[in-house]
Amino acid sequence: MSNDDELLRIEGIRKTFPGVVALDGVDFDLRRGEVHVLLGENGAGKSTLIKMLSGAYRPDGGRILAGGEEVRIHSAQDSAHLGIATIYQEFNLVPDLTVAENIFLGRQPRRLGMIDRKRMEADAAVLLERVGVQVSPRARVRELGIARLQMVEIAKALSLHARVLIMDEPTAVLTSEEVEKLFSIVRQLRADGVGIVFITHHLEEIAAIGDRVTVIRDGKSVGEVPATTPEDELVRLMVGRSIEQQYPRERADAGAALLSVEGLTRDGVFHDISFEVRAGEVVGIAGLVGAGRTEVVRAVFGADPYDQGAVTVSGDLIPKHDVNAAMTAGIGLVPEDRKGQGLVLDQSVEENLGLVTMRAATKGGLVDLKGQRAAAARIAKQLGVRMAGLGQQVRTLSGGNQQKVVIGKWLLADTKVLILDEPTRGIDVGAKVEIYQLINQLTAGGAAVLMISSDLPEVLGMSDRVLVMAQGRIAGELSAEQATQDSVMALAVSTPSTSSTPTRATTAQATTAVEGHRGH
């Protein structure tokens, strides 16, 4: 390798925070025209390293070289000047501005001293087409779903013409089809000579897109291996132990129906949705973004209205658009956006765990704080939440531990039916297995779980049955034995029947291969 090929080099980087060594002598380099995967559990130090390259943090030791020259990155402007662009997992967009305004924020093209809106929107349209997302440059960002927000972030980074592109979990919320579009973009950028730092928890993506892998564990770089390294070895390097079973579903005979949904319809969004979830059962809902999965479960939970249909729990009818009634009946919802909708980030672990049970713990206008604290301590211990104490601010926890807190508040409420929307998005492989074990504990205790996931291997590995949605309808139902990536995707891209009864997959459907899904 010539010096001209090396875009970036990190030597012996060290970073400490009060009481914590975040990075301890990390080495990493990036070459022109390659995808270098940065792999590690949440809390391993990946985010700290990224923030150093983007100018948010300054190292306490070691050095950073760009193009062979030692550099100081003290601000976002320094990072941009060096040709480094970062796409963060947490979106960095302004909700009230348009897509075009966000893409060119601070860099709007001007004509005669005024912002040239026509040119800006035209340039944005080209970038949006390049990332394969159908959205108007004039659309307000707040109107977009999470998957489209991610693609706008990517378009924004592409507009910077960066030589180094850091992508932090860019596929976490994308469907299989969208992942393939993203990979096509990444391959084109690599061919153009861009060096890409790619962070993912989807191990199957590494061989598909990566060239090299650097593994970080406990703030140290523990190995550099080819992207073709077997997943078992990558897991061993990441967590220091082998995980024998990635999806440890403990299946048992299901009991009586706890949740029944019949003919649920919201005009223009979803139509004639009927299904049931039984005690001790995990029912997965699969489908492409826009199929209506999240909208259906939000309606079941009472967060959104619906026009027709009925939701019952243990035979009792739940009033529509009434979250309190749904919660009282025993329905809980873990939303896909855990930070925005599932947690109060500035409050403590204890306060977040008690959010659902606070009303029941209040008598005469006074909250039983002692009882709430004892219950929070019990559930945090049961879930293995890694924290300094119950008083720790929840925003400072890792993604996996934040998700445990979101689930924990529903466990405290003795929830009968728990709806999980993208339960492991942005969570590392070790924490995922812990979440799956929690799901097993719930179903073993007689609860019912309804799970939405865009991670097909997760749906297949953890579901007892799979409902596949397409175009706002249930396109089919698959048993655990029938459900494969091919059979699910065949239904996901189908045109559903207008019949109110979901079709059970035929043998032909169950073996139809659809190119472009994750795992191919």
Side-chain angles (χ1 to χ4, degrees), residues 240-263:
R241 63 185 188 278
S242 62
I243 295 178
E244 298 298 328
Q245 189 179 11
Q246 194 171 358
Y247 303 104
R249 177 69 184 131
E250 298 170 4
R251 292 187 171 87
D253 292 337
L258 289 183
L259 174 68
S260 297
V261 176
E262 185 175 350

Side-chain angles (χ1 to χ4, degrees), residues 315-493:
D316 295 327
L317 182 66
I318 309 302
K320 63 182 180 180
H321 204 192
D322 189 336
V323 170
N324 287 331
M327 290 167 56
T328 300
I331 302 178
L333 171 65
V334 175
E336 62 175 332
D337 181 7
R338 63 175 172 267
K339 290 190 176 182
Q341 300 173 358
L343 296 167
V344 181
L345 293 176
D346 291 329
Q347 289 190 353
S348 67
V349 172
E350 177 185 335
E351 290 167 324
N352 274 274
L353 284 171
L355 286 174
V356 178
T357 54
M358 184 176 294
R359 177 177 293 182
T362 302
K363 292 181 180 180
L366 298 175
V367 180
D368 179 10
L369 294 177
K370 185 177 179 181
Q372 286 282 88
R373 185 172 297 115
R378 173 177 56 81
I379 207 72
K381 182 178 180 181
Q382 177 187 333
L383 301 184
V385 178
R386 297 180 183 90
M387 58 183 180
L390 287 173
Q392 183 175 349
Q393 198 176 61
V394 79
R395 73 162 63 248
T396 63
L397 299 179
S398 69
N401 285 298
Q402 287 180 346
Q403 192 72 324
K404 288 179 184 179
V405 172
V406 180
I407 295 173
K409 69 182 183 183
W410 294 112
L411 296 185
L412 276 177
D414 294 324
T415 301
K416 294 180 184 177
V417 178
L418 186 60
I419 302 170
L420 302 171
D421 194 352
E422 304 290 358
T424 65
R425 180 175 72 87
I427 293 176
D428 63 71
V429 66
K432 280 185 179 183
V433 173
E434 293 178 337
I435 298 296
Y436 300 149
Q437 295 288 12
L438 291 180
I439 292 172
N440 285 336
Q441 290 176 29
L442 281 165
T443 54
V449 172
L450 183 63
M451 181 179 75
I452 294 174
S453 178
S454 298
D455 184 345
L456 270 183
E458 177 172 88
V459 173
L460 302 178
M462 291 303 296
S463 301
D464 302 303
R465 287 184 291 127
V466 179
L467 304 173
V468 185
M469 287 192 65
Q471 300 175 33
R473 295 177 181 267
I474 294 180
E477 177 186 320
L478 298 163
S479 66
E481 293 74 26
Q482 286 178 312
T484 65
Q485 294 201 18
D486 294 331
S487 62
V488 169
M489 289 305 299
L491 288 168
V493 299

Side-chain angles (χ1 to χ4, degrees), residues 108-147:
Q108 299 94 330
R110 293 183 176 272
R111 185 169 181 266
L112 302 176
M114 304 288 288
I115 293 175
D116 189 344
R117 187 166 294 276
K118 184 175 181 181
R119 179 184 162 194
M120 180 175 68
E121 291 175 352
D123 290 347
V126 171
L127 289 165
L128 293 167
E129 183 178 0
R130 188 176 175 190
V131 300
V133 60
Q134 294 182 343
V135 59
S136 168
R138 298 179 182 179
R140 298 284 172 185
V141 159
R142 68 166 61 257
E143 300 168 0
L144 306 182
I146 286 181

Side-chain angles (χ1 to χ4, degrees), residues 162-174:
R163 291 180 296 163
V164 173
L165 183 59
I166 302 170
M167 310 182 84
D168 185 8
E169 291 283 344
T171 67
V173 296
L174 304 184

